[in-house]
Amino acid sequence: MLGLLLNEHVKVYRRIRTWVFYAVVAAAMIVAGIIVYHTAGHDDHLQENAVHFLTDGDQAVNLVVIFAAVVAGDIVANEFALGTIKFLLIRPVARWKILLSKYLTVLSFSVCMMVFLMVTAYVVGGLFFGFGGADDPYHYVHGTTIVSVPMYVEALRDYGLAAVTLLMTVTVSFMISTLFRSSSMAIALSILLLFLGAVVTHLLARYTWDKFILFTNWDLTQYTEGTPIVKGMTWQFSVVVLAVYFIVFMAISWLSFTKRDVAA
Amino acid sequence: MANAVELKGLTKRIGSKTVVDNLTFDIPEGEVFGFLGPNGAGKTTTIRMMVGLTSITSGSVSIRGHDVVREHEQAIRQVGAIVENPEMYKYLTGYQNLKQYARMLPGVNNRRIEEMVEFVGLSDSIHQRVKTYSLGMRQRLGLAQALLHNPSVLILDEPTNGLDPAGIRELRDHLRTLARTQGVSVIVSSHLLSEMELMCDRVAIIQHGKLVNVERIGDAAGSERAQAPLKVFVEVDGPSQAYVALNGFAGVERVSVVDRGVEVETRREHVPSIHRRLVEADIAVYELRVMNRSLEDRFLEMTGGVPSDARTSVE
Ligand SMILES: Nc1ncnc2c1ncn2[C@@H]1O[C@H](COP(=O)(O)OP(=O)(O)O)[C@@H](O)[C@H]1O
Ligand SMILES: [Mg+2]
């Protein structure tokens, strides 16, 4: 299994594309830093700091989600597109192990990208506005009360909840990649869902079954800041719905990878 | 000799079409065995089933006694293969590509990789990206990949694609070496008879997914060999003189004049006396070549082709 994981990591990190993704994330944070530095007034400057900048940096998570969805959408389909799948599957290794090593590699890439984004945001914010400020209070409205938490808690929670959307998006992309054996379809569909999902779910909010839709549930920030999309939804409910979707997506990937003929 | 590979009633249906129809044959240890058939005959599909890439509709394949479906890992451990084109990760070097497969096979170390690189003659370019390789180089890399784990069954689908004549001869020598010295059973597919005749001990002719015949090539033993019907091409200055000298001569069943010589149907045992007869008749012989027409005729007949050297009979 370690050999398989190493193989998949080699295939991801030997591609120039992967390093372009990292460069784009770093560049985006630097540009954001410059813009904030020049537009914010002097008063704001005093409040701005590394952790605050990091908290605002969660806007860039979508960039990570897109790049991770590209890797997820490519990792199975590209083997079919290249034809290398034939060399891959004629080994004394069970097909499910190969699939699992690919999925774990997608997760590892996603986590690395996310951590890279956070570190870059923190460092850029620190260089422009000074490090520190981790314990500054952050205020937000929850229901009818105003809650106050340390800034770093808010930052970690933002990224943690964004990671849920990231996980579900790459899993969808991975499933489409395995099912249709087409990278472009997997990448296009999963990014489309990422952006259209929120629109769709708000349009359908008056129907009760809207609460069972994936996109209604995968943004868990609705339970920390703001209000649930469908009245009466709880975070426990959303977690259960997401878990069910996750299991279904994995089952579809598993079945289509281990049972179907390879005609590439 | 023990059978390395056994196919029993192997069948594949895709939709309502029977792509491979009830193939049954055995391949012993140390034999170079060919699948010969026109494009679309079902060679690749048969190979896909043999290595477990495609499910089997009915029948079975066993490799060294292991059923490829029920005991997939034990069976596939014995097999090295290239199915259709040798597709590689183009952005990796040849060496990194081999490394990928080495990590999936027990007991393949860097030394073994280097040995195989040398064996297929890629030492000079193994650290270049595969992007820069020709098809012939990728065939070589594919062969190295297939041999990494020292398999006892080697399956190559159209391995001569992209090879130049020298490359084909070299491949043939490699395959013979593996078969003779290590007892490897080699299965090659091709739609070209001439290549099969060069490489194989036996050839299965496949058309429309069905087995037409299994033929032994060339070296049948002893009296069987002496009696084997042959066609001999003789290149001479005066084909008509040669025709006169050989027509009705002992052991000659039929002579015909062809471009730059004559073609003689006879038996192997009569070839020396035919040669002597021509020399005695003072006819300069430039070349005397045995053409194993029987297989070619059958192959052309079934594939609906015409012989390249259409005969002009003088009778
Ligand atoms: N996945 C598939 N779906 C439908 N038909 C197929 C499929 N794969 C192969 N075939 C058909 O099966 C036949 C045999 O194909 P193949 O095994 O590739 O032949 P060969 O390798 O001898 O050229 C062809 O007629 C081809 O069209
Ligand atoms: Mg073929």
Side-chain angles (χ1 to χ4, degrees), chain B residues 39-40 42-45 84 157-158 189:
Chain B
N39 288 327
K43 304 180 295 290
T44 300
T45 308
E84 286 195 317
D157 192 8
E158 311 256 2
S189 79

Side-chain angles (χ1 to χ4, degrees), chain B residues 116-146:
Chain B
M116 287 305 104
V117 168
E118 197 154 323
F119 181 70
V120 301
L122 269 186
S123 301
D124 290 341
S125 40
I126 197 66
H127 293 294
Q128 287 171 19
R129 284 175 197 237
V130 170
K131 210 185 278 169
T132 66
Y133 282 23
S134 65
L135 180 54
M137 286 161 83
R138 282 191 282 132
Q139 288 285 14
R140 289 160 189 266
L141 188 59
L143 183 62
Q145 166 277 141

Side-chain angles (χ1 to χ4, degrees), chain B residues 227-288:
Chain B
Q227 293 298 313
L230 290 180
K231 219 169 247 182
V232 181
F233 168 75
V234 191
E235 187 184 336
V236 292
D237 272 338
S240 45
Q241 270 171 282
Y243 176 81
V244 173
L246 294 178
N247 198 19
F249 183 66
V252 172
E253 267 139 50
R254 191 182 138 102
V255 198
S256 43
V257 174
V258 296
D259 187 29
R260 293 192 300 148
V262 289
E263 225 170 73
V264 187
E265 279 175 42
T266 181
R267 286 172 196 283
R268 189 181 161 82
E269 56 185 350
H270 301 303
V271 174
S273 60
I274 289 171
H275 180 233
R276 203 175 312 121
R277 169 94 178 158
L278 290 170
V279 172
E280 282 164 2
D282 208 16
I283 296 168
V285 174
Y286 295 95
E287 184 183 1
L288 196 152

